[in-house]
Amino acid sequence: MILNEVLSLYPPGLVLSRMTNKETKLRELILPAGVQLLLPARFSEGVLKATKGQLAYFPFGWGPWICLGQNFAMLEAKMAPAMILLHFSLELSPLYAHAPHTIIALQPQYGAQLILRKL
Ligand code: HEM
């Protein structure tokens, strides 16, 4: 649940792009072949508004090009903290500044400083 929440609020892949390979009808729009579509700011009006019966939660993409590493990434995201938490407790450092930043993928601009204490 936590990982899903994080991936919906801070999806590492912020922008997905697609190109029409033939004339395509998208609701009231008729797009000729070769139009590039960008799908950014997926939660600009909030998660609830974005997901109203629509496919709005897609941190790993969707359709034929969906991320091949999705299951691996989710498993790793659970296993790594689980192994750390066997030996350490951790809390967020007061030095942490919340500044999501995009350099290809979304990431913390000044790092994510944690204080670890050995159990
Ligand atoms: C949190 C981690 C990850 C996120 C958020 C993520 C997200 C994405 C997204 C958004 C796409 C584009 C899907 C599209 O164009 O519709 C993608 C594609 C892809 N990802 Fe990931 N990914 C992650 C980890 C991984 C890992 C660990 C691997 C490999 C072990 C991987 C392998 C791939 C591959 C091969 C594609 C291209 C699939 C295709 O074009 O057919 N990803 N990923």
Side-chain angles (χ1 to χ4, degrees):
M1 285 162 69
I2 291 169
L3 291 175
N4 282 335
E5 200 64 39
V6 169
L7 286 168
S8 79
L9 291 174
Y10 303 104
L14 273 181
V15 179
L16 294 181
S17 82
R18 289 289 184 271
M19 197 190 299
T20 50
N21 62 1
K22 56 177 186 197
E23 188 176 277
T24 304
K25 191 168 177 337
L26 204 60
R27 293 208 173 148
E28 68 274 15
L29 291 176
I30 295 181
L31 306 167
V35 169
Q36 197 170 11
L37 302 156
L38 293 181
L39 314 173
R42 308 202 289 278
F43 296 99
S44 62
E45 293 176 59
V47 175
L48 278 182
K49 178 120 191 217
T51 54
K52 229 177 187 176
Q54 305 291 318
L55 177 64
Y57 174 70
F58 46 92
F60 292 97
W62 199 257
W65 303 109
I66 195 164
C67 175
L68 289 181
Q70 174 170 1
N71 291 339
F72 173 76
M74 291 300 274
L75 188 67
E76 190 181 35
K78 290 171 201 164
M79 280 183 70
M83 290 173 81
I84 294 169
L85 288 170
L86 281 176
H87 304 288
F88 298 94
S89 70
L90 48 91
E91 62 178 306
L92 200 57
S93 161
L95 293 176
Y96 173 73
H98 189 66
H101 182 66
T102 311
I103 308 175
I104 303 179
L106 189 66
Q107 49 196 278
Q109 186 172 3
Y110 308 112
Q113 295 83 5
L114 299 172
I115 299 171
L116 274 77
R117 291 202 176 80
K118 199 153 176 34
L119 293 176

